Amino acid sequence: MNQSETVSSLVQVIIAGNRKAAPELAKKLLQSGMDAYEIVTAACSPAMERVGELYQEEEYFVPEILMSAKAFEAVMEILKPLLLEAQGQYSGTVILGVCEGDIHTIGKNLVATMLEAAGFKVIDLGKDVPVDRFIDSAVEYDADIIGASALMTTSMIAMEDIVDRAKTKGIRSKIMVGGGPVTQSYADSIGADGYGKDAKEAVDVAKRLMEG
Amino acid sequence: MSGGIPDRVPVSIVSSAWVFSTYGLDLQTAYKDAERMTEVWRGFNRDFGADAIVLSLSSTVIPSYFGTTWKFPKSGFPLLMEPAVKEMSELEELQQIDPSKDEQLQACYRHGTQLVEEFGDERCVWFMTTGPLSNAARITETEFMMECLIEEPDFVRDLFRFSVDAWKIAVKPILEMGVDVVDFSSSPGSPDLISPRMYREFFWEFDREVIQWIHEYGAKAVFHICGNTLRIIEDMAKTGANGLSIDSMLDMSLAREAIGKKTALVGNLDPANILMNGTPDDVIAASLEAMKIGGINGGFVLAPGCDVPPTCPRENIAAMINTATEYGGYPLTY
Ligand code: B12
């Protein structure tokens, strides 16, 4: 198998959710001289994008996206140290979590891995995260960005409190939001700094927030 | 639900959580206190007068028996903290359920007996609970179960087997006391989560088994899967269920077309947008529409599409029930 064939197999096994084969192929690509960042952009991102499409087309369901995410994460385990080494430093620190009362972690996990792939240091607070924990962690890690995810209309309302609390506390972190029911107009209405509709946009937004 | 056309469209709230919180019971302790639960339903029957009195077993009871732990937010749904089974090998170590050792099951049995004695003649006693396959996702954890559906299909079957057996043991006394309807959920089978193919491959057989078992006791079987179930509604009907409880995002006329006339539909008012956030007029309009589509020739129970949030206003529940009693007379003429 030449390098480009291996890249397409890696794309295929991530889409197929094969978490054993995926890291092996990534190792092979590294051995063939491909650099970690290129593996992410040439294989991992397009694979996950395709998985997102398959989900939207109702070809894929939750078990399938979960397994693809696992395969993707298994590749990232191998690439992460190399990415960091190559970059020399993180491009920024992001506090990420799912709002209180909400346990929908799949989307947040994808955002976390894509941010890491793009060179961000991600502090993942997990699910069911109270407003104060977002704020306290942002202070503790001197975060550039707070990313809040919510999949339920009932948990989404905490985003407004995160924005308000961050303001009153005067912390410097920018706030970005996302997840199923969240929209750009909702993000604007609560005064969040950014909104991303998927994990790819989350990275674009994070990069933009780092600039200004 | 027995096939003929009743005098009018029946209506059921299919949610005890709302009833309990509206009548001042704390959800965390309510399920242990049979007498208070019965008293609350007496109140509900007096104030609202729906056709069904709902006996329920909270979604946490059976999984908790096996060791699953939860956090109960002030409002909203219980959050699973630690599942009883975190690795496949832990399933084999579980001891099958013994209802005599569970306080909430005992309270449920006492409460049920009281309801059947008091309302059995005049009302439909509707037992509602999370089904065995929903429990399976709470004995393990949904995400883990989803992974196993792909990587460890045999484990999933063992888990389902175990959970169905546990459920039968826990529910048998309730069937024996003579409830009219057993309404259970099979939530992880939803096309929101898994493919119709997986539903057929893993879930269908167990759903059918449970329904046949309920029939052996002479009760009617209703079962619920959340979300837009159009793509599996025919399979659901083929389980032999007397009624399918459907969510608000399902287009009821398409569902009716798919399943024919034999199976009743139970639903499907939108719990969040209509019952919680709507006005009583919205509820009336939605109820009239649902009855027209779902219940033109019988075979329909007006009900919420899914669990009713505890914060839903009383007037809206009253509006739903009153619409059925005032306008639901057959033949529908409005
Ligand atoms: C999977 C799922 C579950 C799984 C969760 C598993 C897990 N570990 O995450 C399980 C089965 C456990 C579950 C449980 C429940 N669920 Co659920 N669930 C879903 C479902 C089907 C898919 C969500 C998902 O993973 N999508 C795929 C991911 C990839 O997309 P995503 O999360 O939107 O993320 C992307 C973007 O939004 C964005 N993004 C996400 N976060 C962020 C953050 C930032 C900063 C940015 C920039 C971008 C971004 O990037 C992501 C990647 O592209 C949805 C329905 C649906 N179709 O959306 C219901 C849904 C969210 N669930 C719902 C409900 C009600 C529940 C329950 C309460 C059901 C119950 N009665 O038990 C429970 C309990 C939930 C709780 N307390 O939190 C409702 C919520 C309704 C509401 N109130 O708004 C939904 C909408 C279903 C419905 N139509 O009713 N659920």
Side-chain angles (χ1 to χ4, degrees):
Chain A
M1 232 188 315
N2 66 31
Q3 204 178 60
S4 80
E5 282 167 355
T6 315
V7 170
S8 27
S9 326
L10 178 55
V11 173
Q12 288 315 315
V13 293
I14 293 176
I15 294 174
N18 186 333
R19 56 176 152 177
K20 289 196 189 79
E24 293 309 316
L25 287 167
K27 277 185 207 153
K28 215 164 144 190
L29 284 172
L30 286 171
Q31 277 157 16
S32 76
M34 200 165 179
D35 81 45
Y37 190 71
E38 218 184 319
I39 300 177
V40 175
T41 52
C44 299
S45 303
M48 289 316 286
E49 241 165 79
R50 182 70 195 128
V51 170
E53 284 167 16
L54 286 166
Y55 180 69
Q56 243 130 47
E57 292 161 11
E58 304 190 332
E59 274 301 311
Y60 267 25
F61 293 79
V62 172
E64 292 83 3
I65 39 174
L66 264 179
M67 292 322 297
S68 291
K70 299 266 169 198
F72 174 55
E73 281 160 23
V75 171
M76 290 308 296
E77 280 306 303
I78 294 170
L79 301 183
K80 241 187 257 169
L82 300 165
L83 286 168
L84 185 59
E85 214 172 90
Q87 255 155 353
Q89 59 181 64
Y90 289 113
S91 40
T93 300
V94 184
I95 302 287
L96 195 64
V98 179
C99 293
E100 185 159 19
D102 197 331
I103 50 120
H104 294 89
T105 50
I106 300 170
K108 183 268 298 164
N109 289 349
L110 284 178
V111 171
T113 0
M114 294 289 266
L115 283 171
E116 283 178 339
F120 284 89
K121 176 174 179 178
V122 176
I123 312 293
D124 190 342
L125 302 180
K127 61 191 173 186
D128 185 28
V129 180
V131 173
D132 285 334
R133 259 196 78 209
F134 278 102
I135 304 296
D136 295 346
S137 308
V139 174
E140 185 184 343
Y141 292 95
D142 187 27
D144 301 288
I145 298 170
I146 297 176
S149 176
L151 263 285
M152 306 200 299
T153 43
T154 44
S155 60
M156 177 174 86
I157 44 184
M159 290 176 169
E160 191 167 358
D161 298 337
I162 297 176
V163 174
D164 290 348
R165 205 75 55 89
K167 271 203 198 109
T168 40
K169 274 215 156 185
I171 63 171
R172 69 174 192 92
S173 322
K174 299 271 173 52
I175 294 165
M176 64 173 187
V177 294
V182 185
T183 58
Q184 181 69 57
S185 63
Y186 177 75
D188 293 341
S189 76
I190 61 168
D193 302 294
Y195 160 77
K197 80 165 168 25
D198 55 31
K200 201 173 147 288
E201 271 194 33
V203 172
D204 297 341
V205 172
K207 285 184 177 158
R208 203 189 71 222
L209 293 179
M210 291 306 295
E211 282 159 15
Chain B
M1 231 174 291
S2 20
I5 300 181
D7 297 340
R8 69 163 167 81
V9 174
V11 54
S12 171
I13 169 151
V14 296
S15 171
S16 59
W18 181 83
V19 176
F20 289 166
S21 39
T22 304
Y23 283 83
L25 282 193
D26 169 40
L27 287 182
Q28 258 200 89
T29 48
Y31 293 103
K32 292 182 184 149
D33 190 341
E35 283 65 32
R36 296 241 19 228
M37 287 191 281
T38 304
E39 207 180 290
V40 161
W41 277 103
R42 212 173 278 140
F44 179 84
N45 182 50
R46 182 190 58 226
D47 302 340
F48 291 85
D51 302 301
I53 297 291
V54 179
L55 164 67
S56 73
L57 180 64
S58 148
S59 60
T60 57
V61 174
I62 295 177
S64 304
Y65 181 90
F66 295 113
T68 297
T69 57
W70 313 81
K71 182 173 132 188
F72 296 88
K74 281 180 285 314
S75 63
F77 303 97
L79 294 180
L80 193 154
M81 289 286 111
E82 182 109 352
V85 171
K86 289 180 285 297
E87 301 171 32
M88 291 193 288
S89 61
E90 290 172 351
L91 179 63
E92 284 161 37
E93 292 158 24
L94 294 185
Q95 293 278 319
Q96 197 42 284
I97 194 163
D98 175 356
S100 69
K101 291 191 181 133
D102 191 278
E103 199 187 350
Q104 293 194 67
L105 273 173
Q106 291 305 318
C108 175
Y109 299 156
R110 270 201 318 283
H111 172 46
T113 312
Q114 291 162 2
L115 291 182
V116 171
E117 268 172 24
E118 191 165 337
F119 300 101
D121 296 334
E122 133 205 34
R123 301 286 190 216
C124 167
V125 180
W126 184 301
F127 173 58
M128 193 190 139
T129 189
T130 37
L133 307 186
S134 299
N135 287 341
R138 295 170 164 106
I139 292 170
T140 58
E141 201 261 33
T142 309
E143 205 170 314
F144 180 66
M145 196 172 107
M146 296 284 128
E147 285 171 37
C148 292
L149 277 165
I150 290 185
E151 292 189 334
E152 303 289 348
D154 290 339
F155 169 74
V156 175
R157 290 197 183 88
D158 291 346
L159 171 69
F160 283 5
R161 180 75 266 149
F162 178 83
S163 189
V164 167
D165 292 343
W167 193 85
K168 285 183 180 171
I169 296 170
V171 172
K172 190 165 176 251
I174 293 168
L175 279 162
E176 286 170 343
M177 66 183 71
V179 296
D180 302 296
V181 172
V182 175
D183 174 354
F184 67 97
S185 59
S186 210
S187 315
S190 167
D192 268 356
L193 289 176
I194 63 164
S195 61
R197 180 187 62 75
M198 265 189 189
Y199 174 75
R200 286 175 210 122
E201 202 174 311
F202 291 92
F203 286 67
W204 187 81
E205 220 176 293
F206 288 105
D207 283 338
R208 188 184 55 166
E209 177 188 324
V210 167
I211 286 160
Q212 286 177 342
W213 178 77
I214 293 168
H215 286 161
E216 284 170 27
Y217 291 83
K220 301 270 187 274
V222 171
F223 92 112
H224 175 76
I225 295 184
C226 318
N228 187 348
T229 44
L230 188 61
R231 275 173 304 169
I232 54 170
I233 196 93
E234 280 186 74
D235 300 288
M236 290 171 70
K238 276 188 213 141
T239 56
N242 305 85
L244 301 178
S245 152
I246 56 177
D247 222 334
S248 56
M249 45 289 223
L250 176 62
D251 181 330
M252 213 170 6
S253 49
L254 294 179
R256 180 50 85 200
E257 217 170 277
I259 64 172
K261 289 194 185 135
K262 229 181 93 210
T263 317
L265 291 172
V266 180
N268 68 342
L269 300 186
D270 187 331
N273 295 315
I274 300 288
L275 285 171
M276 183 168 74
N277 296 330
T279 62
D281 284 341
D282 296 335
V283 177
I284 295 172
S287 304
L288 288 175
E289 197 194 331
M291 292 195 296
K292 196 133 223 179
I293 303 172
I296 204 73
N297 286 311
F300 180 65
V301 178
L302 181 64
C306 211
D307 225 3
V308 182
T311 49
C312 162
R314 275 176 95 105
E315 304 76 59
N316 286 358
I317 297 295
M320 173 183 84
I321 294 172
N322 294 340
T323 311
T325 42
E326 277 172 38
Y327 299 96
Y330 282 116
L332 299 177
T333 49
Y334 58 87

